[in-house]
Amino acid sequence: MATTRATWAYRDRFGDGFGRTYFRRFGPGVVSSVGLGTYLGEPTDVVDDAYERALLAGIEGGCNVVDTAVNYRCGRSERVVGRAVERADVDREAIVVATKGGFLPFDGDRPADPESYVRETFVEGGPVDPGDVAAGRHCIAPDAVDALLDRSLDALGLETIDCYYVHNPEIQLRIRSREAVYDQLEATFERLEQRIDAGDIDRYGVATWRAFRVPPTDDAYLSLPDVVDRARAAARTVGRTETGFEAIQLPFNVHMADAFTARVHPFEGERRSALSVAHTLDLDVFASASLGQGDLADGLPPAVDAELTGDTATQRAINFARSAPGVTCALVGASDADHVAEDIAAGTFDPLGARAFDAVFE
């Protein structure tokens, strides 16, 4: 598990090579504001090897955040992360490892018949009730998430996962009401609060794609304040004095800035954006898709680009995400060691200040 002592020691080891605020508070410790993601790529040995090299380069180059999920690349991404964390010339306690559960994963490659695989592996005698499955492979019921968490611990080879996300809960809105999704989240949060007490995870949250960025009239909308209220209720139910719900993950980049601009969450008598609510509730925000899955490497809108620092469009795009008020860390893909070096070097430049960032939207 990442510790206060080890993450601050990591900052002392690497901090002089970066700009101000590159390392940011995360709980009692610190994390780099550029993190390594493991989503894209085919489920092959060649891609595994490339990821391992890139992750090692990142961890040993000043980036101590690694993000993955049980289903990424048919389960291979978690295994690669585990190998990289074990091999790196960095204490495991200095690295914040985050993963997610919600999509029922394949095992190493894509089965010929995914529907049969899911039924035989997870439903028939397994932890999943077929009535809880949305979109063929998504389930966030307590027993299912419990089993997926165990699977992640085994794949990563870790005793404790630093941050565990319930993955894209808005997908459940395809088969049940919003209130029923909140109810299911609360039940699953109770299980995760118990897993904190057991030492299996250090904290948890939700990773979303659309839920916190769209208006309440949208079929994918979930209220961030309501989700946090359910986490607090879950903590009380299991006898914990404070909830372990401490982080959210959502997309944020130049073209997907609605987590900052869209005031879609009724909160404290007004409508506020996801980033504003998260800041008030003291939640860490991890920005996914900081490079628009690579699209922003080709360039940013000129008016925005002119305000940002960085030698390349990639670095300026990362620094846009790092500049957003309330963002703890911007995640970038880590499948190529050379790209990782460029991405992390974005942190040698200072992000925009709050006023300059606001001015981008005027």
Side-chain angles (χ1 to χ4, degrees), residues 252-255 289-302 304-322 330 332 339 342-347 349:
F252 190 81
N253 61 52
V254 172
H255 297 307
S290 296
L291 293 174
Q293 297 184 347
D295 291 345
L296 293 173
D298 296 329
L300 288 73
V304 178
D305 191 65
E307 300 298 323
L308 296 163
T309 57
D311 288 333
T312 67
T314 291
Q315 291 174 346
R316 293 190 291 275
I318 293 168
N319 284 336
F320 177 85
R322 291 176 60 235
V332 295
H339 290 169
E342 177 186 1
D343 296 341
I344 295 176
F349 299 91

Side-chain angles (χ1 to χ4, degrees), residues 60-343:
E60 295 175 354
C63 179
N64 72 332
V65 176
V66 182
D67 181 85
T68 189
V70 70
N71 63 300
Y72 285 178
R73 300 180 49 253
C74 300
R76 286 173 174 258
S77 285
E78 284 190 328
R79 297 168 195 167
V80 171
V81 167
R83 291 199 297 271
V85 169
E86 182 178 16
R87 286 189 54 199
D89 183 24
V90 170
D91 290 342
R92 184 279 176 260
E93 291 78 12
I95 306 167
V96 170
V97 178
T99 193
K100 315 174 190 74
F103 290 95
L104 303 175
F106 303 139
D107 188 11
D109 56 18
R110 298 183 183 91
D113 186 344
E115 183 178 348
S116 295
Y117 176 87
V118 168
R119 183 180 64 252
E120 294 167 5
T121 304
F122 296 103
V123 176
E124 295 175 356
V128 174
D129 185 313
D132 288 326
V133 178
R137 286 182 56 204
H138 188 267
C139 183
I140 58 169
D143 287 348
V145 170
D146 225 13
L148 294 176
L149 173 51
D150 287 337
R151 190 179 181 116
S152 291
L153 286 165
D154 288 343
L156 291 163
L158 301 178
E159 292 184 0
T160 305
I161 292 166
D162 299 295
C163 187
Y164 189 81
Y165 297 107
V166 179
H167 200 178
N168 286 13
E170 62 265 39
I171 290 178
Q172 288 294 312
L173 291 166
R174 301 179 189 181
I175 62 169
R176 65 188 76 232
S177 70
R178 188 169 290 132
E179 192 65 22
V181 172
Y182 291 142
D183 288 344
Q184 189 171 70
L185 279 171
E186 183 174 340
T188 297
F189 292 163
E190 289 178 18
R191 197 69 59 90
L192 293 176
E193 298 282 352
Q194 293 168 340
R195 298 300 292 262
I196 291 175
D197 285 339
D200 298 319
I201 60 175
D202 189 43
R203 66 197 70 209
Y204 69 95
V206 294
T208 72
W209 189 251
R210 297 183 62 208
F212 297 148
R213 304 184 297 114
V214 296
T217 53
D218 193 287
D219 289 343
Y221 173 82
L222 291 172
S223 160
L224 178 54
D226 286 352
V227 170
V228 173
D229 285 345
R230 293 304 187 110
R232 290 171 173 168
R236 291 193 297 269
T237 297
V238 303
R240 303 189 77 241
T241 56
E242 294 184 359
T243 179
F245 188 107
E246 298 184 20
I248 61 171
Q249 185 180 128
L250 44 68
F252 190 81
N253 61 52
V254 172
H255 297 307
M256 301 172 70
D258 32 17
F260 176 75
T261 61
R263 299 181 179 184
V264 298
H265 297 284
F267 183 64
E268 296 184 339
E270 59 182 342
R271 286 187 178 270
R272 293 169 63 174
S273 70
L275 289 185
S276 175
V277 172
H279 176 72
T280 301
L281 294 177
D282 200 26
L283 300 175
D284 285 283
V285 178
F286 290 78
S288 59
S290 296
L291 293 174
Q293 297 184 347
D295 291 345
L296 293 173
D298 296 329
L300 288 73
V304 178
D305 191 65
E307 300 298 323
L308 296 163
T309 57
D311 288 333
T312 67
T314 291
Q315 291 174 346
R316 293 190 291 275
I318 293 168
N319 284 336
F320 177 85
R322 291 176 60 235
S323 298
V327 167
T328 301
C329 178
L331 300 171
V332 295
S335 61
D336 182 284
D338 291 336
H339 290 169
V340 164
E342 177 186 1
D343 296 341

